[in-house]
Amino acid sequence: MEDRQAGDPSVVVQGGMVVAEEPEASALDFVVVADLPEELPLDRIVTCEREMAGVGKIRFWGMVEAAGYGELYYGLVRVIRIYPEVFVPPIPGIAVSTANAENVAWALRFTTMKQKFVIGQLTDEQPAYANFDFVSGTKGAHVNIAGISGVATKTSYALFLLYSLFAAQPQLRSIIFNVKGDDLLYLDKPNCKMPTKDREMYTKLGLPCGPFAEVAYFGLKTGLWTLWQFAERELIRYLFEDTEESGVMQGAIDRLAERLREAAGECEGPGVILEGEAVEDLAALVKFLDKLPEKNAWFEGSTLGTRKALMRRLKAGARQVSALITADGRFDYEAQLSVVDIHALSDRARAFVVGAVMRSVYEGREKLGGAHPTTLVILDELNKYAPKRGGGPIKEMLLDVAERGRSLGIVLIGAEQTASQVEERVVGNAALRVVGRLETAESEQPSYGWLSGTLRRRSTLLLPGTMVVAQPEVPVPLVVRFPFPAWATRQSEVLAKGMSGAPPFEGDAPPE
């Protein structure tokens, strides 16, 4: 639509809205002229109809994609549905009306979604939906969210989607990594700074307004895994994520991982028995490996140089993750929402935790098979773990999730500042594509080819709380608003004992 040149419409409007004579209408788009600008705001759904010999009545539904003034106010309308599907243009001069809620739902295919969930609010304040079949893996899976850090509210929107999904599909499980201070450590507490207007939005969207009902927190005071689990799941591989290993080095890592798994198979934990020696933690494991004689089965086939290089990297990694491997280490995702706190960890340790958690989910799927609940993994800073260039075991696992996860019931909700810096096979496999505010240069990247020219320009102006969502079943990306979190996102939003509640923030109104 943005490629059309909309001249001044020549139809004289005597009240209401009509299809313009110029520019020439097509079966895919046309121009509407109106008396009043408020009749044609961007994203509004309008409808009109015409008669055709041999067919009868043909009805059109379209979305206002651009608007402006000539001699009259006009809107450029992209056709999103025709019934019956006879692709002819509407006739100039015929009346156009704003679609009511029932027609909007039909035009956007919401009525055909048997398992739908709310993704936000349209400009007419009606709920917008997505089809759960395109998240669960039935027809597709995965969500990708891009936008400027701190402005695009990527994590806030991911949590809103999760909240909506839990309301519609309470049997789901989800894991989210906390990477920003204490932002995600109070999700089970109500937000005492909730604006009144946002409470009303939850009601309009048909959602409860409160905190997440069932949340478990990990990584706050105790470790996440025992040494036995570290060995049995071959988690040592994720300590070498920061390098692209040579074939020789990778072979040495493979042998070490295999030997540890074999040792774990001969005992029950929480530690392991290695060559008759009880090893209880990661520091002890490193010490054991370091004192092995030059010729041994653990480094069989490796040169002395390879062994020394491997041990240097292992020692460096072990120092950063040793607190995560303890005798009382525990991680599971039995709660509806599991929050893994990694905000205070180094980049290497964060990468280790992400890889180890994903491995835990794979292990769970292998053990339970079809009884394994559909599990959504929310991962911010996706560009760090699945970069366009380079690789490693975590990237390979994320690629496997992106390409095979829908059949396993493992769904990735990934977020990043720049989708152009993420491996295309990860982003491209997302059934739902979402953007908040983008940098101008980033918005022009091929990764955002699903945005029309108008939406690309608008994406650089979006305010927090507004996102653009594309999904397979809806013919156009939708601009939606979502409400302020009903759950606390930092300690200052938690209502303390004796407090009557902080005054809600009611928005940033312009000066008179």
Side-chain angles (χ1 to χ4, degrees):
M1 190 71 208
E2 64 274 5
D3 296 325
R4 296 195 58 172
Q5 299 298 316
D8 291 345
S10 59
V11 174
V12 177
V13 185
Q14 301 295 330
M17 302 181 290
V18 298
V19 175
E21 291 183 356
E22 295 180 359
E24 183 178 322
S26 78
L28 300 178
D29 51 60
F30 56 91
V31 172
V32 172
V33 290
D35 281 336
L36 303 172
E38 56 266 29
E39 293 182 288
L40 284 174
L42 297 185
D43 310 316
R44 183 59 54 85
I45 307 295
V46 297
T47 182
C48 61
E49 60 186 52
R50 60 164 288 182
E51 293 287 335
M52 181 177 176
V55 177
K57 182 188 295 184
I58 300 175
R59 299 181 65 190
F60 303 83
W61 291 261
M63 177 178 285
V64 179
E65 189 174 77
Y69 271 111
E71 292 180 3
L72 296 169
Y73 184 76
Y74 65 88
L76 305 179
V77 176
R78 171 176 289 181
V79 174
I80 58 175
R81 203 160 187 186
I82 300 176
Y83 184 83
E85 289 192 346
V86 179
F87 285 85
V88 293
I91 298 172
I94 62 174
V96 177
S97 60
T98 299
N100 59 23
E102 185 178 11
N103 273 269
V104 169
W106 192 86
L108 295 175
R109 275 79 168 178
F110 297 158
T111 54
T112 63
M113 298 177 183
K114 294 181 180 180
Q115 297 190 88
K116 61 187 178 184
F117 64 97
V118 176
I119 59 172
Q121 190 178 69
L122 298 170
T123 55
D124 62 359
E125 300 189 352
Q126 296 299 315
Y129 298 95
N131 191 340
F132 180 63
D133 287 347
F134 283 101
V135 174
S136 66
T138 303
K139 295 181 178 179
H142 314 308
V143 181
N144 185 262
I145 308 172
I148 299 172
S149 180
V151 177
T153 54
K154 300 184 296 296
T155 303
S156 295
Y157 189 64
L159 284 167
F160 172 75
L161 287 182
L162 199 60
Y163 189 75
S164 177
L165 280 163
F166 284 159
Q169 305 285 338
Q171 76 282 4
L172 294 175
R173 295 291 178 267
S174 184
I175 302 165
I176 186 169
F177 299 92
N178 177 50
V179 298
K180 301 173 183 176
D182 66 348
D183 284 11
L184 302 183
L185 303 182
Y186 306 97
L187 301 181
D188 57 334
K189 309 294 184 185
N191 193 325
C192 69
K193 297 183 179 180
M194 185 74 178
T196 303
K197 62 180 178 60
D198 287 86
R199 291 183 184 277
E200 295 170 352
M201 188 185 293
Y202 279 96
T203 300
K204 290 180 179 179
L205 294 176
L207 293 173
C209 184
F212 284 87
E214 184 185 349
V215 187
Y217 298 97
F218 298 93
L220 299 179
K221 296 180 180 180
T222 62
L224 293 170
W225 298 278
T226 64
L227 186 66
W228 182 88
Q229 290 172 322
F230 177 86
E232 196 271 338
R233 297 176 185 177
E234 301 186 7
L235 302 187
I236 194 170
R237 296 181 184 278
Y238 305 117
L239 288 177
F240 298 89
E241 175 63 17
D242 61 332
T243 57
E244 293 183 45
E245 308 295 353
S246 66
V248 174
M249 178 62 75
Q250 189 58 59
I253 295 170
D254 290 343
R255 174 161 292 279
L256 198 55
E258 290 165 4
R259 291 285 296 174
L260 284 170
R261 187 177 185 114
E262 289 170 3
E266 297 173 358
C267 57
E268 296 181 356
V272 292
I273 307 298
L274 305 178
E275 308 290 347
E277 179 181 338
V279 178
E280 300 295 335
D281 56 36
L282 202 52
L285 173 62
V286 172
K287 186 176 180 180
F288 167 82
L289 294 172
D290 208 26
K291 70 180 184 181
L292 286 172
E294 184 173 337
K295 292 185 178 181
N296 63 85
W298 290 80
F299 294 97
E300 184 179 357
S302 300
T303 65
L304 182 60
T306 298
R307 175 180 171 177
K308 287 183 175 180
L310 188 153
M311 287 304 301
R312 280 197 306 272
R313 295 175 187 177
L314 180 58
K315 289 175 182 178
R319 283 194 295 269
Q320 298 179 50
V321 306
S322 59
L324 306 173
I325 313 298
T326 61
D328 60 350
R330 182 184 72 86
F331 168 74
D332 62 56
Y333 50 101
E334 294 177 2
Q336 193 178 55
L337 174 57
S338 300
V339 179
V340 184
D341 184 39
I342 60 175
H343 84 275
L345 301 180
S346 65
D347 285 347
R348 181 196 287 261
R350 288 186 181 189
F352 170 80
V353 172
V354 170
V357 165
M358 295 299 294
R359 180 61 192 164
S360 297
V361 177
Y362 265 71
E363 291 268 335
R365 179 62 172 78
E366 290 171 4
K367 289 178 181 178
L368 296 178
H372 186 265
T374 298
T375 303
L376 300 95
V377 179
I378 302 177
L379 180 58
D380 200 359
E381 301 177 340
L382 190 58
N383 51 296
K384 289 185 178 180
Y385 307 109
K388 179 166 287 189
R389 296 177 177 82
I394 297 177
K395 179 177 178 178
E396 290 305 312
M397 182 173 286
L398 291 174
L399 279 170
D400 191 46
V401 170
E403 296 176 342
R404 199 167 60 95
R406 58 175 291 188
S407 64
L408 300 175
I410 303 174
V411 178
L412 177 64
I413 301 180
E416 70 285 324
Q417 292 189 48
T418 52
S420 61
Q421 300 303 311
V422 178
E423 167 62 50
E424 176 56 33
R425 288 157 61 194
V426 174
V427 175
N429 274 290
L432 267 66
R433 302 284 293 271
V434 184
V435 297
R437 188 192 295 183
L438 297 174
E439 295 282 2
T440 301
E442 175 68 9
S443 71
E444 298 298 326
Q445 296 296 319
S447 301
Y448 306 96
W450 54 275
L451 290 172
S452 67
T454 301
L455 283 176
R456 285 188 188 224
R457 292 192 293 274
R458 287 177 65 186
S459 70
T460 65
L461 303 172
L462 295 176
L463 295 175
T466 301
M467 312 297 277
V468 182
V469 184
Q471 55 178 310
E473 204 161 356
V474 176
V476 289
L478 301 178
V479 178
V480 299
R481 286 194 55 77
F482 65 99
F484 196 78
W487 46 90
T489 59
R490 53 183 60 86
Q491 190 172 21
S492 62
E493 295 175 347
V494 178
L495 188 64
K497 288 184 178 180
M499 291 177 59
S500 59
F505 174 70
E506 298 295 357
D508 182 24
E512 293 295 334

